[in-house]
C-alpha cells in the first residue's frame, strides 16, 4: 500500500499499474473496488487514485 501511495504522489501511472496487478488488487475484498481502481488506472484518472491511496 505504501508503494502505491508513493506512486500516486508522483503521478507514476505505469508504476501504479504494476503494483496493482502485482498483488495489490488481491487485498481488496470487494470486486467493485477492484473494478473501480482498474478503471481509474486504465483511464489514468489521478483524482480517483489519489482519493483511494493518498
Amino acid at each position: 500500500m505504501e508503494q502505491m501511495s508513493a506512486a500516486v504522489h508522483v503521478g507514476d501511472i505505469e508504476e501504479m499499474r504494476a503494483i496493482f496487478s502485482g498483488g495489490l488488487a488481491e487485498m481488496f475484498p470487494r470486486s467493485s473496488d477492484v473494478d473501480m481502481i482498474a478503471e481509474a488506472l486504465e483511464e489514468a484518472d489521478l483524482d480517483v487514485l489519489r482519493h483511494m491511496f493518498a
Side-chain angles (χ1 to χ4, degrees):
M1 198 65 83
E2 290 176 21
Q3 290 176 322
M4 190 66 147
S5 293
V8 167
H9 181 71
V10 297
D12 189 342
I13 293 289
E14 291 304 317
E15 181 67 14
M16 287 182 258
R17 289 175 179 149
I19 293 167
F20 191 67
S21 65
L24 185 63
E26 297 168 4
M27 295 179 67
F28 291 88
R30 293 183 359 194
S31 63
S32 60
D33 289 339
V34 173
D35 292 344
M36 179 182 65
I37 296 166
E39 184 177 325
L41 287 168
E42 184 178 315
E43 296 175 1
D45 189 337
L46 287 174
D47 290 333
V48 170
L49 296 165
R50 284 187 183 113
H51 181 73
M52 293 293 293
F53 297 105

